[in-house]
Amino acid sequence: MRPCITEPMNEEGVTRLMEYIIITGVLLLLMIVMMFSVNASIMEGPANKLRYHAFVDIGNGISTRIVDLYVIAPGNGTIETKFDIPDDVAGRGYFVDVDVEKKGASQTIQVQSGSIKSTIAIAGIGATRGVVGNTTGAGWNMIQYDSKGFSGG
C-alpha cells in the first residue's frame, strides 16, 4: 500500500483576494472620513463668508430704503413701499430684524441665519424716528410710515 500524499493547496488566489478586499475597505473608510472633513473645511467656510457679506449688502439696502422713505415721508399721513430682497443666500433662508440696539439709542438692522449674523446701523434717522419690525427674504417686503405712529398689538 502506498502512503497517501496530499499536495499543498494553492492559497495564493485567496490571499490576493483578501488583500484587495481589506485594502479597498480601508480606502473606502478613509474616503468617507475625508468627505466629511472636506465638506466642513472647503465648502462651509466659503459659504459662510458669502452669507456674511450678502447679509451686509441686504442690511445696507434695507437701511437705504428706510432712509429714503423717511426723506419723503409726509408731515401728516401715511406712505408705504414694497421691495424685494433675495429669497435665500447660499441655499438657506434668513431673518431680518429692525430694532433699537441694546447698548445705545441707535437703530440697527440685524440679518441672520443660524450662527452667521450681520448688524448694520440705520444711517441718519436712528435718533429721530423709531423703526421696528422684522421680515424674511421670502416674498415681497413692505416698509410703512404713519405720521400718527403705529399702535403695538
Side-chain angles (χ1 to χ4, degrees):
M1 207 156 133
R2 284 201 223 165
C4 183
I5 300 175
T6 59
E7 294 183 25
M9 299 205 38
N10 190 359
E11 296 179 353
E12 185 177 331
V14 174
T15 305
R16 287 188 187 225
L17 177 66
M18 290 302 294
E19 178 183 354
Y20 289 140
I21 290 174
I22 290 172
I23 289 174
T24 303
V26 169
L27 289 176
L28 282 174
L29 182 66
L30 288 174
M31 186 174 169
I32 291 170
V33 170
M34 190 68 141
M35 285 174 53
F36 286 121
S37 64
V38 164
N39 183 39
S41 64
I42 294 178
M43 294 171 67
E44 285 295 322
N48 288 341
K49 187 177 253 189
L50 171 76
R51 280 186 194 97
Y52 175 78
H53 290 292
F55 290 168
V56 169
D57 290 342
I58 291 167
N60 284 331
I62 293 173
S63 173
T64 301
R65 288 178 179 102
I66 291 171
V67 172
D68 289 348
L69 188 72
Y70 169 72
V71 169
I72 63 171
N76 188 12
T78 62
I79 189 170
E80 66 184 41
T81 182
K82 289 184 181 180
F83 63 97
D84 193 24
I85 53 179
D87 290 341
D88 60 6
V89 174
R92 291 190 186 162
Y94 58 93
F95 298 100
V96 179
D97 190 30
V98 182
D99 206 354
V100 177
E101 192 175 60
K102 304 287 188 263
K103 298 174 189 170
S106 65
Q107 299 276 330
T108 59
I109 298 172
Q110 191 174 71
V111 185
Q112 69 179 12
S113 174
S115 63
I116 309 300
K117 177 173 43 173
S118 171
T119 303
I120 292 89
I122 297 177
I125 66 166
T128 58
R129 297 281 184 221
V131 180
V132 294
N134 55 37
T135 188
T136 63
W140 286 93
N141 303 286
M142 183 182 303
I143 301 173
Q144 297 175 318
Y145 170 80
D146 189 348
S147 60
K148 296 176 186 172
F150 292 98
S151 62

